[in-house]
Amino acid sequence: MLQTQLAKGVQLTTVQSHQFKTNQIIINFRAPLARETITQRSLLSNLLETSSRDYPDQRALANALAAMYGAAFGAGVSRKGPTHNLQLAITVANERYLATDQPLTNQAIQFLQQVVLQPLVADGQFDQATFDRQKKNLEAAIMSVADDKQYYAAQQLNTALFADEPAQQVPSYGTASDLAALTAEGLYDYYQMMIQNDQIDIIVTGDVDEAAVLAQWQQAGFEDRLAGRPRPFYQHHNTNQYVEVSEQQALSQAKLNLGYDLPVFYRGNHYYAALVFNELFGGSPLSKLFMNVREKASLAYYASSSLDTFRGVLKVQAGIDGKNHDQVLAIIAAQLTAIQAGDFTDDLVEQLKLGLINDFESSLDSQRTFAVQALIDDLTQQRVTDTEWLRQIQSVTREQIIAVAKMVTLNNGFFLSGVTA
């Protein structure tokens, strides 16, 4: 892996790999998560994905990608703790494996630079027709979320779980109310600020000519960033008491979502033990939630847990019969208590570790894994080799799992049930 600073706050990372027959180029714009800019960044990613000065519509974009042997291009937004990321990525066939002299990697980088740095603009604003179309599309996407009851319940839990931080409540794609206020001129003003101020991470993976890639990105002309590096972690506030919000809608399957404080952070103290704990609690088909709540007691259509080690929280999602709410809440609590008491076998722990290791090793077959990991490594300023990761998982003890379980505190719940007759 080769890292080069193109300007202050602008870094190029090249991950040389002969494993894949494609090359992937990704540019990430990272900024501190702010309630007032989340929706702007989401709409901006849609605009940059579908138009530019050289490719004014999606047909022109598609033709350009087709000319590069069917290159794949996309954009999107995401959140890691207190950081918001806007990403554009292109994956192109490596010309070394094709009977062609066409410099595909060079063309892909040039395409990405044109899309990012030369948007479709007229009279100091984004093209109005394109802006209106993408704004309407994003509004439809946001509104459709309410139809996904499981996702809706998860978002409502976030609202309660992060009551003291509005930016953490808002989904990474934004809100319809914020979207309504955006204009083509105002969004172009924000785009210019993003280009000048955001931390930029460019990640290139594949069998590439590192010197040629570096030279091409040096010509992009990025300037020094004045803002500092975004913080990698958000510390959730532990209320030490359980508060549940309930809502009724027309649905057949109730949703119970629970939010816990768990102050364990990515690659920090207790991190590897927390990964195994989550598998044991609800993160795998061998977990206590799956085996006891779903299978043995038949109290849930699904029941699982997930870790967010960039915000220090643990979440449980369960689909249940609404009348069983109290019983489900109690049996979920009992599974956590059992782990805290050491009620699990060493053989089960070894099976869970093996599952984590298999998932980890399978992920290494994906080219995107290398790019995602390079971005997280830069965000956290930590790097762990594959060998060290495996060693850390294998060395987790039952005592460490119990210690993590004792750090878990239930804070919030959201219960979405059907309307009673």
Side-chain angles (χ1 to χ4, degrees), residues 20 51 58-59 98 173 193 232 238 282 288 293 367 406:
F20 308 101
S51 65
Q58 288 178 283
R59 177 177 293 182
L98 297 174
Y173 53 78
M193 288 191 291
N238 185 4
K288 286 186 173 291
V293 181
Q367 189 170 17
K406 290 180 177 179

Side-chain angles (χ1 to χ4, degrees), residues 251-398:
L251 46 79
S252 57
Q253 184 187 114
K255 316 294 179 185
L256 179 61
N257 287 50
L258 305 176
Y260 303 75
D261 183 77
L262 178 54
V264 173
F265 297 91
Y266 188 78
R267 290 180 181 161
N269 294 334
H270 309 288
Y271 172 67
Y272 297 95
L275 294 182
V276 182
F277 158 77
N278 182 59
E279 293 292 291
L280 175 60
F281 183 46
S284 76
L286 297 174
S287 70
K288 286 186 173 291
L289 290 185
F290 187 91
M291 297 300 293
N292 295 332
V293 181
R294 183 183 184 275
E295 296 294 299
K296 190 179 294 184
S298 298
L299 285 172
Y301 303 103
Y302 63 85
S304 64
S305 66
S306 58
L307 272 177
D308 185 341
T309 56
F310 285 86
R311 297 196 282 186
V313 297
L314 170 76
K315 297 177 183 177
V316 166
Q317 308 83 31
I320 66 174
D321 187 327
K323 69 178 185 293
N324 294 329
H325 167 274
D326 293 351
Q327 194 176 356
V328 171
L329 196 60
I331 197 172
I332 289 173
Q335 306 316 302
L336 179 58
T337 300
I339 298 174
Q340 292 169 340
D343 182 13
F344 53 90
T345 67
D346 292 338
D347 285 345
L348 176 56
V349 171
E350 290 308 309
Q351 290 182 66
L352 295 170
K353 288 181 181 179
L354 183 60
L356 282 168
I357 289 169
N358 288 340
D359 288 346
F360 177 79
E361 291 178 339
S362 296
S363 74
L364 300 180
D365 293 332
S366 168
Q367 189 170 17
R368 186 165 181 80
T369 295
F370 293 88
V372 170
Q373 194 57 60
L375 180 64
I376 293 176
D377 289 349
D378 185 67
L379 176 63
T380 60
Q381 292 293 283
Q382 302 176 48
R383 187 166 184 267
V384 173
T385 64
D386 296 347
T387 302
E388 175 63 11
W389 190 94
L390 293 169
R391 189 192 70 79
Q392 291 279 8
I393 289 294
Q394 289 165 339
S395 65
V396 170
T397 66
R398 65 182 294 110

Side-chain angles (χ1 to χ4, degrees), residues 201-244:
D201 277 280
I202 302 159
I203 300 168
V204 181
T205 64
D207 185 5
V208 298
D209 182 335
E210 293 177 330
V213 168
L214 173 59
Q216 197 170 358
W217 279 108
Q218 285 174 327
Q219 294 170 8
F222 290 115
E223 298 180 351
D224 289 346
R225 320 278 105 174
L226 299 179
R229 177 183 296 276
R231 293 182 298 116
F233 305 115
Y234 171 81
Q235 177 74 60
H236 171 258
H237 172 64
N238 185 4
T239 62
N240 287 298
Q241 61 179 353
Y242 180 61
V243 176
E244 184 175 294

